[in-house]
Amino acid sequence: TILWIVRAIVQYYTRDGGSNDGRNDLRVLIPGAGLGRLAYEVATCKDLIVKGVVPHVEANDSSVTMIFAAQNVIKMLQQQQYQHQQEENRQLQSAIYPFLSDPQVNEIDARKRFEMEVFPDEHAVDSYKCYHDLTGTHPNLSFTVGDFVSTYSQQSKQNQYDVVATSFFIDTATNIYEYIYIMKHMLDTNGVWVNCGPVQWHPCALLRPTVEQLKDMLQVAGFELISWSVADEAVAYRHPDDVGGKGLEARYTRSEAYRPLRFVARLLSSQDDGSSSNEDLPLKIQYSEFLNEVANVK
């Protein structure tokens, strides 16, 4: 999932000639960033750096706990890089047992419950070192805590991003129109929205469009669909060995997996799509919130 999104960004802004007005910086927003792995991979992407494109990545999440944990991992990576420069070989890593508290059902091998994961992993450490070697500085990665709708519908966020990348995020919308309005509001002209994830709409969602209906909604809203597909292969929701295969022994007799919707959508200028400007965005959001309240009245 993460790799596909990073590749899509690289393809559009290097090979396919994505435009950011001649600037060498690429303004990227990752909403629903969680622990920030996608944001980190974009911020340290070597394929962008060697092409002269410097990502400035903003990771957003509504959870203070998630952002706090992500920031601490980044600090560990910074300290690791400093120690490398000082020719110290001490490893700054922590360990967790992510499966230890799983319900004791559907397990195949009890020993897998006690498997340990170490972080930051070697790939993250190598990526940080590579970025520092290429640029002489630290990755441009910032974190914002707050509700996506209320934070990014502000006037100050208009036309502020070249890319918005969403991973397992869009189906969290109470009203998907709110998310679409805000994507249009945030993206600069010719900016792209890169998405990978299911359409397992939240239980509180007022609208639950199919993939094809969502496609129509984006086109009507003024997006050009550069790429649009549903993956042929199911992706495990939590861990690759949840479902097994490809040399991995399955962890459970029952697993949860998705065939994610993957798309790259370019925002057309208002002259190209004939739509109205974003000046009425606050009114649109207010009306959407009103509909949400009406629908939830008991």
Side-chain angles (χ1 to χ4, degrees):
T1 299
I2 291 176
L3 183 59
W4 184 89
I5 292 175
V6 174
R7 284 176 175 171
I9 295 173
V10 170
Q11 176 178 325
Y12 185 75
Y13 277 95
T14 56
R15 193 183 75 186
D16 290 352
S19 171
N20 54 342
D21 299 327
R23 292 178 284 106
N24 67 346
D25 63 311
L26 185 66
R27 304 165 299 174
V28 183
L29 174 67
I30 314 288
L35 290 173
R37 189 57 187 254
L38 172 58
Y40 177 77
E41 293 295 334
V42 175
T44 59
C45 179
K46 180 180 178 181
D47 290 338
L48 289 174
I49 301 301
V50 297
K51 296 289 187 179
V53 179
V54 181
H56 289 251
V57 182
E58 179 180 341
N60 163 257
D61 202 274
S62 60
S63 169
V64 175
T65 304
M66 289 287 193
I67 295 298
F68 178 77
Q71 285 181 320
N72 275 276
V73 175
I74 296 298
K75 288 180 181 178
M76 293 173 69
L77 288 162
Q78 290 174 341
Q79 292 172 359
Q80 190 112 323
Q81 177 61 30
Y82 175 78
Q83 289 186 357
H84 174 74
Q85 290 176 288
Q86 301 301 314
E87 297 184 353
E88 298 178 17
N89 294 322
R90 207 158 41 93
Q91 293 288 319
L92 291 174
Q93 291 180 314
S94 295
I96 58 172
Y97 294 83
F99 306 103
L100 197 59
S101 60
D102 275 4
Q104 294 179 330
V105 293
N106 287 308
E107 290 182 298
I108 295 175
D109 187 345
R111 291 173 296 181
K112 279 183 167 288
R113 174 179 288 271
F114 301 98
E115 289 180 347
M116 179 181 69
E117 295 288 342
V118 175
F119 66 92
D121 56 59
E122 290 186 10
H123 175 74
V125 174
D126 291 342
S127 294
Y128 200 101
K129 181 180 181 300
C130 179
Y131 183 94
H132 192 275
D133 290 344
L134 288 171
T135 66
T137 185
H138 301 292
N140 295 289
L141 176 57
S142 61
F143 297 89
T144 302
V145 180
D147 172 69
F148 174 70
V149 172
S150 59
T151 302
Y152 293 97
S153 60
Q154 301 296 321
Q155 187 65 29
S156 61
K157 298 297 183 181
Q158 185 171 1
N159 306 129
Q160 290 301 301
Y161 303 97
D162 303 302
V163 178
V164 178
T166 50
S167 175
F168 282 68
F169 176 73
I170 62 172
D171 53 0
T172 65
T174 302
N175 187 332
I176 187 60
Y177 277 113
E178 288 183 324
Y179 281 17
I180 296 173
Y181 292 154
I182 294 171
M183 295 299 176
K184 287 193 63 177
H185 174 70
M186 295 187 301
L187 284 169
D188 207 348
T189 303
N190 292 323
V192 294
W193 177 4
V194 182
N195 175 78
C196 184
V199 289
Q200 180 173 291
W201 301 104
H202 192 277
C204 296
L206 302 181
L207 300 173
R208 302 179 182 184
T210 65
V211 168
E212 288 304 310
Q213 289 171 334
L214 181 61
K215 182 178 183 180
D216 292 340
M217 293 165 75
L218 292 184
Q219 289 177 318
V220 170
F223 285 94
E224 175 192 6
L225 302 180
I226 299 171
S227 171
W228 186 279
S229 65
V230 175
D232 294 329
E233 184 177 344
V235 176
Y237 184 69
R238 295 198 317 168
H239 194 276
D241 68 2
D242 280 0
V243 295
K246 293 186 176 180
L248 295 174
E249 181 182 347
R251 183 177 295 274
Y252 305 109
T253 58
R254 180 185 182 276
S255 61
E256 188 174 12
Y258 300 89
R259 294 172 55 221
L261 166 64
R262 297 168 174 168
F263 67 75
V264 179
R266 182 175 72 94
L267 179 63
L268 300 172
S269 66
S270 57
Q271 292 86 356
D272 292 336
D273 69 4
S275 63
S276 61
S277 69
N278 284 325
E279 294 178 358
D280 58 349
L281 178 66
L283 182 60
K284 291 178 179 178
I285 297 298
Q286 184 179 3
Y287 183 63
S288 296
E289 294 292 346
F290 169 73
L291 294 179
N292 296 349
E293 292 177 6
V294 170
N296 288 318
V297 170
K298 300 294 183 180

